[in-house]
Amino acid sequence: MSQRDAGWGAGPSERYEELAARFRPTFAEIRATAVERDRTHGLPHAEIGWLKEAGFTTLRLPVEAGGHGASLPELFNLLIELSQADSNVTNALRAHFGFTEDVLASTAPDWRARWIARIAAGETVGSGVSETGAAKVGQFDTVVRRRGAERVVSGKKFYTTGSLFADYIHLSADDEDGTTLVAAVPTGAPGVAIVDDWDGFGQALTASGTIRFDDVVLSPDLIKPDPARFPYAMAFFQLVHLATLAGIGRAAAEDVGRLVAERTRIYSHGNAGRTADDPQILAVVGRVRGNAYAAGAVALKAAEALQRSYELHRDAGGQGTEAEAERATALADVEVNQAVTVVTNLVLEATTILFDALGASAVKQGLGLDRYWRNARTIASHNPRIYRDRIVGAFAVNGTEPPRQYRVGTA
């Protein structure tokens, strides 16, 4: 480890370094090609395959079930490290890790056992929840209907992040009565068409585009017995974004530090005979790094709150009461909401001011430094941050708990 790679703080557990060591060579491989893939729109099929082979997608499964038994803080610290390599890959796996939490929280033993086995075998799940179009808030235009003895789904989804790389699509739809139904649809099933038409200026390699379902047959074992998500779902999915932002900040900090160290040209009106000795330049590098450090520290503190919610819900009726579990989940939502604006601002500033430490050559496409801001700005546009301070203020002043679910649609 070089001097620049140190200083990000200790991991969240005594065993973290041992756990992370298994995946860091893969992270390094992913980072080595990140700029070129961004420039050429090279989708990370191989990179996600490497992570599956290393067992990264089984992190949260119990050891006895073929996983690593990672805690939520351990998971999120690893997601920061993965995002440091390529934030697209983290985002592409976000739905999978959320689906894994659904499996762990399930009270349906057969369904839980079946999906633990599938995840342990390396199978992954992408997203098929969000829609564009005229569907009202709380409803879906994608519908599951009965056709004789079968159930079939038809409709269209967008923001289907990660599904192009996955084995299954985590589908949310309405049935003919308007009741929400959740299923895992095989990506290779007849009638499924996944289109890489996501054209965002950031996170461009996440395949967050369209999926079309044309009378796709759903076998009963693929339908989730209870459509509800795990209790701390909203906090979890938002925290994946915050961990991703923290990783982007780290990558930006390390790049600007390295590039300043390598720089030989100076300005006549600068402060030193070497750029690496110029105190104004060093102050910019320090600000970028400090922002990245703070973003990671905030994200990991919030991960502790999610861990408390997980443990109390897991132990409901045992060590933790239902009321204690619900309180822990509400506080996890508060902590994540408190973190959103802070982390976002830190990373957006870091990925902007890094250019102040470098010359005009820093904007050349070959360095790919612009991707840090583009990716951070794109992530910050999900689940709009402008509402977070108001939600936290309502809790602080009136004790109002944050909403447990966010949906988008027409009024």
Side-chain angles (χ1 to χ4, degrees):
M1 178 183 291
S2 72
Q3 190 70 14
R4 287 188 213 100
D5 295 326
W8 296 115
S13 65
E14 290 185 4
R15 71 149 188 170
Y16 180 77
E17 286 300 313
E18 179 182 353
L19 179 65
R22 179 186 181 99
F23 305 110
R24 282 174 178 157
T26 305
F27 295 165
E29 284 188 84
I30 291 171
R31 186 167 186 180
T33 59
V35 174
E36 180 65 13
R37 281 186 286 105
D38 180 78
R39 193 178 65 81
T40 61
H41 196 74
L43 296 175
H45 289 281
E47 289 73 14
I48 290 173
W50 300 340
L51 290 168
K52 289 169 67 170
E53 289 172 10
F56 190 78
T57 56
T58 70
L59 273 168
R60 286 282 288 154
L61 296 187
V63 173
E64 62 272 18
H68 299 277
S71 68
L72 286 167
E74 288 172 338
L75 170 67
F76 282 104
N77 210 23
L78 285 166
L79 292 181
I80 291 173
E81 292 200 32
L82 174 60
S83 303
Q84 191 175 351
D86 187 346
S87 61
N88 288 276
V89 178
T90 306
N91 208 18
L93 292 173
R94 178 172 174 253
H96 171 78
F97 284 115
F99 186 85
T100 301
E101 296 300 310
D102 273 330
V103 170
L104 296 175
S106 176
T107 57
D110 290 345
W111 190 86
R112 184 178 188 274
R114 182 161 56 247
W115 280 102
I116 283 178
R118 285 172 173 161
I119 294 169
E123 295 184 329
T124 56
V125 181
S127 181
V129 177
S130 297
E131 297 180 356
T132 56
K136 295 185 183 302
V137 172
Q139 297 178 353
F140 294 107
D141 279 346
T142 304
V143 176
V144 176
R145 69 183 191 280
R146 293 194 178 276
R147 187 177 66 186
E150 296 178 327
R151 301 184 94 174
V152 297
V153 58
S154 295
K156 184 171 72 171
K157 297 288 186 178
F158 197 69
Y159 302 115
T160 59
T161 305
S163 287
L164 187 63
F165 316 113
D167 301 289
Y168 293 91
I169 303 156
H170 181 206
L171 172 75
S172 290
D174 288 342
D175 66 14
E176 292 165 301
D177 299 323
T179 302
T180 299
L181 179 147
V182 172
V185 182
T187 53
V192 174
I194 304 175
V195 184
D196 179 28
D197 57 351
W198 166 242
D199 63 351
F201 63 63
Q203 296 296 103
L205 308 182
T206 59
S208 298
T210 300
I211 298 179
R212 295 185 181 89
F213 301 93
D214 183 14
D215 284 347
V216 179
V217 177
L218 295 179
S219 61
D221 68 305
L222 296 177
I223 298 174
K224 191 171 183 282
D226 178 1
R229 304 235 52 176
F230 56 101
Y232 47 92
M234 291 305 100
F236 180 93
F237 284 113
Q238 189 59 51
L239 190 54
V240 174
H241 284 327
L242 299 187
T244 306
L245 286 168
I248 291 171
R250 282 193 190 182
E254 294 192 345
D255 273 1
V256 72
R258 173 179 54 80
L259 290 169
V260 166
E262 294 172 355
R263 190 166 174 78
T264 57
R265 289 161 59 86
I266 62 168
Y267 289 99
S268 62
H269 50 294
N271 303 290
R274 209 167 64 104
T275 302
D277 295 327
D278 189 318
Q280 284 186 279
I281 300 296
L282 295 178
V284 174
V285 175
R287 181 66 175 267
V288 172
R289 190 178 178 91
N291 281 21
Y293 177 82
V298 171
L300 291 176
K301 188 65 179 175
E304 295 175 8
L306 266 69
Q307 182 68 22
R308 288 190 290 273
S309 174
Y310 163 74
E311 289 176 355
L312 286 168
H313 275 283
R314 183 193 61 192
D315 295 335
Q319 294 179 4
T321 67
E322 184 175 347
E324 289 171 334
E326 288 300 310
R327 178 64 173 167
T329 299
L331 290 176
D333 285 330
V334 169
E335 291 198 38
V336 171
N337 273 279
Q338 288 173 170
V340 170
T341 301
V342 175
V343 170
T344 302
N345 287 347
L346 286 167
V347 176
L348 287 177
E349 181 189 51
T351 55
T352 299
I353 67 170
L354 70 86
F355 292 95
D356 294 333
L358 301 166
S361 59
V363 304
K364 295 181 70 173
Q365 291 185 359
L367 291 177
L369 296 178
D370 62 305
R371 80 189 192 281
Y372 293 138
W373 183 89
R374 289 188 287 105
N375 290 339
R377 181 61 262 179
T378 301
I379 290 169
S381 299
H382 292 294
N383 304 320
R385 63 181 179 144
I386 62 169
Y387 300 125
R388 304 302 175 151
D389 290 340
R390 187 206 77 223
I391 289 170
V392 173
F395 172 80
V397 175
N398 301 313
T400 306
E401 294 184 359
R404 288 292 175 86
Q405 189 171 20
Y406 302 125
R407 297 282 288 273
V408 179
T410 60

